[in-house]
Amino acid sequence: MKKTLLAVALTAVTAGTAHAATVYDQDGTSLQIGGFVEARAEMEKNPTSFDSNDYSYPTTNSMSNVNDESRFRLNMTGKSMINDTLYGIGFAELEFDVGSSNVDTRYVYAGIGGDFGQVTYGKQDGALDVITDFTDIMPNNGATASNKITSADRVANTLAYAGTFGDISTRVTYKAKQSDVDTVGQGFGGSLVWNLGDSGFSAGAGYAYERDNLAGNAAGTVIDRASTYNTMLGLSYNDEMLYVGLLGSVGKHLTTGTFVGDDNAGFANNNENVDVTVSNVTNFGQQQVGAAKYWGAEFATAVTLDQWILQATYNYGKYTDLDNAGSYLSGVAAKTGDNDPVSANNADFAVNYVWNKQFTTYVEYQADFLDKKDQYYRGDNAWLGAMYSF
C-alpha cells in the first residue's frame, strides 16, 4: 500500500512522516523533522439528548453546524550510529489542536537497533496497530469495529521489539503496570505481517492480552480487575491502482458507558480514569465498569486514478454478552431487550485530490446505519480538509 500514491493521503501519520526532511547528517548522527498542517472542518450529526424511559437518543444536532478541527503535527527522528551495525534512535511527535491549549504527546520513545531489529521504550504503537492498518485507511475515521484494547494501541509505558526478516515483519510489546492506579493495567501483544513477495498480497495476524486495573477508579465497579484481549486477522491486496483490505477481530473489551471506549457523551475511555459523577449518567445509578465479548469485521478499498484517490470502508461490530458489562450497560440491555447489541455499523467514503506529494485536499462522509434507539448510535459525520505535509 505504501508503494503507491495512495500512501500520500491515507492517514495523517503517513503524511506526517513520509516527507520528513533531514536537517542534520554528520559523523554518523542524523536528525529528521516532519509533520503536517491540516485545515479541517467537521460537520456532526450527534445525539443531543438521552431518553431514560427507553434508553434512546431522540434528537440530534444539525449537520449545518461546522466545527473547526484543524491541527498541526510535528515529529522528530534522531539516529546515531554506535558502530557499523548498532545504532541509537529517538522519536517524538506532538499535536497542537485549534481551540485547545493542551499539547497531545502522541509519541515519545527511544531505543537501540541493529541487524537484529529494534528495541524501544516509551509511548509508542502497540502490537496490533499494524493489523488495524489493513483497513484503517480513511483521512479521519476508521477502525470502529476492531475494538482494540488499550495496551494493543498507542500507549505509554510500553517496551517494544520490531524486526523484519525477508518478507515477514514482527512486533512484540509489553505494557508495564504503573505504580499509581489506572484503568490500564499490564498487557502484552504480538503480531506478524507477511508480504507475499511481489504479488501485492499481505497477510497479518495478532494477539494482545491485558489485565485491566479497575479498583480505586470508580466506586461500585463490578470487579476490581478484568482480563481483556484481542485476536485479529488481516488480509490485503495492493497494486498501482487498487487497494483492498479485510480485517476480522474477536475478543473481550472493557465497557464504561453507552459509548464504549468513547468520551463524546461524557463517558470515560480506557485512557482515562472512570468518572462516575458525570451528570448524564447519575440519573441511571452508579456507573459500573465491566467487560463484554465482541466480534467485528472491516472492509476497506481505495482506487487511485491519476491524482484522484477514492476510498471506502465498511465496519460492523457486535457484542455477544452484556450480562457482565457493568450495571449501566446491563441495565440498558435489560431495558431494551437487546443483550447482544450491534456496537458499530457504518460506512465511510472519501474523495482525495493529491496536488503534489506535499499538498492534498479531501472530502469525507461517514454514515451511521444504527437506529437512534440503538445504544451505540453515534450519528453521521462529514469532513472537509486540506493538508500540507513537510
Side-chain angles (χ1 to χ4, degrees), residues 35-360:
F36 65 79
V37 177
E38 183 181 16
R40 186 173 56 165
E42 181 182 27
M43 289 71 74
E44 299 178 294
K45 194 175 183 180
N46 287 337
T48 56
S49 65
F50 184 83
D51 189 342
S52 60
N53 293 318
D54 61 1
Y55 286 74
S56 66
Y57 304 91
T59 61
T60 61
N61 64 326
S62 171
M63 287 192 71
S64 63
N65 298 328
V66 179
N67 301 315
D68 189 346
E69 297 292 337
S70 300
R71 56 186 176 174
F72 166 55
R73 192 173 292 176
L74 180 67
N75 60 66
M76 178 280 295
T77 304
K79 184 177 180 180
S80 182
M81 297 303 300
I82 299 172
N83 55 39
D84 291 343
T85 60
L86 200 63
Y87 62 87
I89 190 170
F91 181 81
E93 183 172 82
L94 305 176
E95 180 170 297
F96 306 82
D97 295 324
V98 168
S100 173
S101 59
N102 296 326
V103 178
D104 180 13
T105 305
R106 288 174 48 83
Y107 293 92
V108 175
Y109 63 84
I112 196 166
D115 295 338
F116 59 88
Q118 189 169 281
V119 177
T120 52
Y121 173 79
K123 185 175 184 179
Q124 55 189 316
D125 288 333
L128 297 186
D129 284 295
V130 293
I131 308 300
T132 55
D133 282 348
F134 277 67
T135 51
D136 189 8
I137 69 171
M138 306 304 291
N140 288 285
N141 207 33
T144 58
S146 61
N147 221 354
K148 275 183 293 189
I149 59 176
T150 306
S151 61
D153 205 349
R154 185 178 71 249
V155 68
N157 203 14
T158 296
L159 178 68
Y161 166 78
T164 300
F165 308 94
D167 292 334
I168 297 177
S169 60
T170 184
R171 186 171 182 82
V172 180
T173 60
Y174 172 72
K175 195 276 179 189
K177 180 182 177 182
Q178 296 180 188
S179 57
D180 57 331
V181 177
D182 63 355
T183 56
V184 185
Q186 56 193 136
F188 64 87
S191 61
L192 288 171
V193 175
W194 181 24
N195 300 306
L196 283 70
D198 296 326
S199 67
F201 285 98
S202 297
Y207 175 81
Y209 173 88
E210 185 176 298
R211 186 70 166 163
D212 298 287
N213 189 9
L214 306 179
N217 287 273
T221 52
V222 176
I223 45 181
D224 288 340
R225 305 184 71 84
S227 297
T228 55
Y229 59 88
N230 292 125
T231 300
M232 292 187 187
L233 297 174
L235 181 66
S236 69
Y237 172 77
N238 180 55
D239 62 22
E240 292 302 314
M241 291 183 61
L242 175 68
Y243 177 81
V244 177
L246 300 171
L247 176 75
S249 176
V250 296
K252 187 178 181 182
H253 205 281
L254 281 183
T255 55
T256 57
T258 303
F259 290 80
V260 174
D262 185 84
D263 58 359
N264 289 338
F267 299 105
N269 62 37
N270 288 348
N271 294 316
E272 302 171 328
N273 288 345
V274 178
D275 183 1
V276 296
T277 63
V278 179
S279 60
N280 60 352
V281 298
T282 52
N283 292 333
F284 317 117
Q286 190 80 298
Q287 183 186 8
Q288 293 184 336
V289 181
K293 293 182 179 179
Y294 72 93
W295 66 267
E298 300 183 355
F299 167 80
T301 186
V303 177
T304 303
L305 302 171
D306 294 325
Q307 291 176 272
W308 294 94
I309 299 174
L310 312 178
Q311 299 165 277
T313 61
Y314 177 72
N315 303 277
Y316 186 90
K318 186 178 181 66
Y319 280 91
T320 59
D321 183 8
L322 287 185
D323 285 340
N324 297 310
S327 66
Y328 184 73
L329 281 185
S330 297
V332 173
K335 186 74 173 181
T336 60
D338 187 3
N339 197 50
D340 302 314
V342 175
S343 59
N345 185 9
N346 56 73
D348 210 337
F349 308 92
V351 177
N352 306 267
Y353 187 77
V354 183
W355 300 82
N356 57 36
K357 67 178 183 178
Q358 267 78 40
F359 188 66
T360 302

